[in-house]
Structures are given as C-alpha cells and as structure tokens.
Amino acid sequence: MTDDISLGPVIAIVGPSGVGKDSLMEALVAAEPRLSLLKRVITRAPEAGGEDYTPVTEAEFAQREAAGEFALHWSAHGLLYGVPAAAVVAQRAAGRGVLVNFSRAMLVDAQDVFGNFVILNVTASPEVLAARLAGRGRESTEEQAKRLAQASKPLPEGLHHVHQIDNSGELSAAVQAALAVIYPDQPERA
Ligand SMILES: Nc1ncnc2c1ncn2[C@@H]1O[C@H](COP(=O)(O)OP(=O)(O)OP(=O)(O)O)[C@@H](O)[C@H]1O
Ligand SMILES: O=P(O)(O)OC[C@H]1O[C@H](OP(=O)(O)O)[C@H](O)[C@@H]1O
C-alpha cells in the first residue's frame, strides 16, 4: 500500500453496466467541489461517447502499461482499461477525493494500492438495467445482452468499506446517498 496521509480518498464506483456509474460520478462532481473524476485510458473508439476518457489503440495501451503509467489496469467487455497513477495522486492532493469507475474484479488490488479507499456498489434491478442500456443505445443489442449477463457478478471476498447505493429511482437520491457515505459528518445538501 503506497498511501500518504495527506491524500484524499479514492472512491470506487462499481456495478453492472447500465446501472448509472458514469451518471452518478458526473452528478457527484457537480454537487461537491472536493470531488473529481479520474479520466481513464480505454481502448474504446473515440466516437463512442459517454464518459470523458483517453482513447488509445491496443498498441498504445501496451506501451503505456510497459512504461508503468497505470496504477491498475484490466480488461473487460473486449476493451482494455487503465488508471493513470500520476492523475490519481494529483487529484487526491490536499485531501480531495477522486472518483474511479473500477471493474468489480479489481477491487481487492485497488484497496491495497490506494489505502484510503471506499467502494460504492451501485445497484438497480435487472429490468431497470435492460431498459437503461436500450435507452442509451451505446452498445449493440448483442453487446447489451452480454453486459446484462454480467450484471449479477458478485463483489470479491475480503473487501472493506463497501456501501450499496441504490440507483433504481431518481439520480438525485443516489447522489445524496453517496455523499452521505463519502462525507458522513456533513448535513444533507439542499
Ligand atoms: N437514476 C437514473 N434514472 C434514470 N436514468 C438513469 C439513471 N442513472 C443513469 N441513467 C441513464 O441510464 C443509462 C446508463 O447510465 P450510465 O451510462 O451512467 O451507466 P454506467 O453504469 O456508467 O454504464 P456502463 O458501465 O455501461 O458505462 C444512461 O442513459 C443514463 O442517462
Ligand atoms: O463488470 P465489471 O468487471 O465490474 O466492469 C466491467 C467494466 O465496466 C466498467 O467500465 P465501463 O462502464 O464499461 O466503461 C468497469 O469499469 C469495467 O471496466
């Protein structure tokens, strides 16, 4: 674990595709100036839309990985994902919190790497997930089905500081629930 006490928390936002991770992260940053989004490096096509990420080819990803750029990296949905280490440190400076969309499979590694680490496991019913992926339309129907098949993947054993955030209803409710976890000693926001 390489963690300086002056560094703020790494807040892992995890859960099945379509549950609202990106939506929740964007809303949290809009509501709380001490929070920022970690810009991931992904081998996803630049025009895919959605989150703000650094699109790279698989060759570029391999070069960055070999150069030690990533604090953590993984593959999922036929894509490669990397978390730039320097960006995490910079965004945690002065106690600020950084929001990271992690794979559930990476959480044990992540809690060892980052130390000051909290996990928000975002949930919604299968029906809601299917409707949201269809409504978003970013993936093909076939890819949506593959993602939905992964929805019930359990979190790994051995995790600490895991909190369930229900995003079945209004996004604003999930935002308030998440802020109450991240900043438990602060009154509910207006
Ligand atoms: N609370 C909510 N109520 C209604 N719609 C929502 C809510 N949260 C997210 N959505 C919508 O559901 C869709 C999926 O949301 P989002 O892309 O944030 O999910 P995600 O978990 O990041 O998905 P992925 O892992 O596939 O990137 C989007 O169209 C988004 O606008
Ligand atoms: O099912 P699991 O392994 O938890 O997550 C699979 C992938 O989905 C999410 O990314 P995105 O939302 O596709 O960008 C995660 O960050 C991970 O990369």
Side-chain angles (χ1 to χ4, degrees), residues 73-121:
H73 60 87
W74 63 90
S75 65
H77 304 314
L79 300 170
L80 300 175
Y81 298 78
V83 172
V88 174
V89 172
Q91 292 175 235
R92 296 176 77 184
R96 295 195 313 274
V98 57
L99 300 165
V100 187
N101 177 345
F102 275 111
S103 164
R104 289 165 288 186
M106 296 303 295
L107 291 173
V108 174
D109 293 340
Q111 76 181 2
D112 290 342
V113 167
F114 297 119
N116 183 359
F117 188 70
V118 63
I119 298 165
L120 304 189
N121 186 29

Side-chain angles (χ1 to χ4, degrees), residues 15-25 40 44 50-51 77 101 132-133 135-139 147 167-172 174:
S17 182
V19 76
K21 298 183 295 295
D22 290 328
S23 302
L24 178 60
M25 289 192 289
R40 303 187 300 178
R44 181 184 285 143
E51 75 181 86
H77 304 314
N101 177 345
R132 289 186 182 162
L133 287 181
R136 182 177 71 184
R138 185 179 77 190
E139 289 80 20
R147 286 179 171 237
N167 190 32
S168 302
E170 290 299 317
L171 182 60
S172 57

Side-chain angles (χ1 to χ4, degrees), residues 6-90:
S6 66
L7 293 177
V10 173
I11 300 131
I13 308 294
V14 300
S17 182
V19 76
K21 298 183 295 295
D22 290 328
S23 302
L24 178 60
M25 289 192 289
E26 287 165 14
L28 280 169
V29 168
E32 176 49 66
R34 288 173 292 177
L35 296 175
S36 65
L37 274 176
L38 190 279
K39 186 174 182 179
R40 303 187 300 178
V41 176
I42 307 175
T43 57
R44 181 184 285 143
E47 66 277 4
E51 75 181 86
D52 178 22
Y53 63 99
T54 301
V56 295
T57 64
E58 291 199 358
E60 290 165 341
F61 191 96
Q63 287 169 352
R64 290 172 181 241
E65 182 189 338
E69 179 178 325
F70 301 136
L72 287 166
H73 60 87
W74 63 90
S75 65
H77 304 314
L79 300 170
L80 300 175
Y81 298 78
V83 172
V88 174
V89 172

